[in-house]
Amino acid sequence: MWVSNDTEERVGFSTGALEKGDYRKAVSWLQNESVDSVELSALRYDELEPLVQDLDSLPLGGFRHISFHAPSSFEQEQEKHVVDLLGNVHKRGWNIVVHPDVIYRPRLWSHFGEQLLIENMDQRKPVGRNIRELERWFEELPKARLCLDVAHARQMDTTLSLLINIFRRFIDRIAEVHISELDSNYRHRPMSRTAVNDFKRLAPGLKRSIPIIIESGLGGKRATLRKEELQLAREATRTNSDPSTPSPRY
């Protein structure tokens, strides 16, 4: 017998994966599909201020899990402005996902405490890709937690050794998980069956309260794949409750 209720409630989408820049349209779709988890995305610097200013008017009351993705690229002189704007997110109690390469001055981010989630990176970035590089950031920001991006780790090492090692080392820090697949141009695309099966190896070890956010690019012509991707993600995160079925061990 499969236990799915709690699992389905924690699976959601990044608004940027559904609609680039149009977070209202993305939120509306999620509500219509009764999806309970959302990551509000401001991946581009110019998207941050309008989204933060619009938070009070966004209909977010129906979501069980809400997080916020900070811009993935900006200059060091813009960092203080970014952190100040994210203060409006922090006071709402939402987790803030950030790429470590835009943390120029860790002291500016330290007051976010455990609401700051550092995301592991892929080959494009010079930091945050493996255990050693992630440990450096947790030394700088000891209260921060981890947003585990499965596609980034799979892209770094297709044998899954890196993914499993990061999972084991930082299991107590994992506060959110990103799932998708990367294409040859590092774009997040819909998951293959292999990606789903790979994630199934981790699912039994995750706390049931951790939100699973789909980052697969599903805008434009790919919008027809959204429901299928949602079902695949739910399948990937289900935990078998049959005691005769062994859980993966790492």
Side-chain angles (χ1 to χ4, degrees):
M1 181 179 71
W2 292 97
V3 177
S4 61
N5 288 343
D6 289 346
T7 296
E8 293 185 3
E9 289 173 350
R10 67 175 175 164
V11 176
F13 281 92
S14 160
T15 57
L18 297 175
E19 302 285 348
K20 286 186 178 180
D22 194 343
Y23 48 83
R24 283 191 171 274
K25 189 174 180 181
V27 166
S28 177
W29 185 88
L30 292 168
Q31 290 175 325
N32 288 339
E33 297 300 323
S34 300
V35 177
D36 291 336
S37 298
V38 61
E39 182 184 270
L40 300 173
S41 175
L43 276 180
R44 286 156 285 280
Y45 175 77
D46 291 342
E47 296 173 345
L48 177 60
E49 190 162 351
L51 177 52
V52 168
Q53 291 178 345
D54 213 11
L55 291 179
D56 285 334
S57 64
L58 277 180
L60 301 172
F63 292 105
R64 173 174 291 193
H65 300 286
I66 302 173
S67 60
F68 194 103
H69 202 306
S72 61
S73 178
F74 52 84
E75 301 301 323
Q76 182 170 347
E77 57 267 25
Q78 297 170 315
E79 183 181 25
K80 179 65 164 56
H81 183 56
V82 168
V83 172
D84 288 345
L85 287 170
L86 291 173
N88 293 287
V89 178
H90 174 253
K91 70 182 182 182
R92 294 168 186 270
W94 301 342
N95 290 332
I96 299 168
V97 179
V98 64
H99 292 182
D101 60 309
V102 296
I103 301 178
Y104 300 103
R105 291 169 288 180
R107 62 179 177 79
L108 292 181
W109 301 79
S110 62
H111 69 284
F112 293 147
E114 66 176 15
Q115 287 174 234
L116 185 68
L117 309 187
I118 296 173
E119 182 176 346
N120 61 296
M121 297 285 96
D122 59 33
Q123 290 180 359
R124 291 171 294 176
K125 300 296 181 76
V127 297
R129 298 164 297 183
N130 53 45
I131 289 176
R132 178 179 56 81
E133 292 174 356
L134 287 168
E135 283 179 336
R136 174 211 160 185
W137 290 102
F138 292 128
E139 289 172 3
E140 295 275 5
L141 296 159
K143 293 183 179 180
R145 294 184 291 169
L146 176 68
C147 174
L148 177 62
D149 191 299
V150 174
H152 288 169
R154 289 178 77 243
Q155 187 265 353
M156 289 286 297
D157 174 18
T158 58
T159 72
L160 301 190
S161 294
L162 175 63
L163 173 61
I164 292 172
N165 287 337
I166 290 175
F167 182 87
R168 294 162 99 183
R169 174 64 180 86
F170 300 112
I171 183 64
D172 293 331
R173 287 190 186 266
I174 297 174
E176 181 173 306
V177 175
H178 286 171
I179 58 175
S180 67
E181 192 156 1
L182 293 183
D183 64 19
S184 58
N185 294 313
Y186 301 94
R187 291 188 294 256
H188 290 273
R189 67 180 185 186
M191 291 181 289
S192 64
R193 173 54 57 180
T194 300
V196 172
N197 290 337
D198 287 349
F199 189 79
K200 281 183 176 181
R201 296 179 61 182
L202 301 184
L206 285 172
K207 296 178 183 176
R208 296 175 69 87
S209 59
I210 294 174
I212 311 296
I213 299 298
I214 302 167
E215 284 201 315
S216 312
L218 296 168
K221 294 180 179 179
R222 283 182 173 172
T224 58
L225 301 176
R226 291 174 182 176
K227 293 182 182 181
E228 179 182 346
E229 193 77 352
L230 182 61
Q231 291 306 314
L232 283 173
R234 287 172 171 169
E235 175 191 339
T237 56
R238 288 187 184 122
T239 302
N240 195 328
S241 64
D242 184 347
S244 67
T245 303
S247 297
R249 296 181 183 276
Y250 301 116

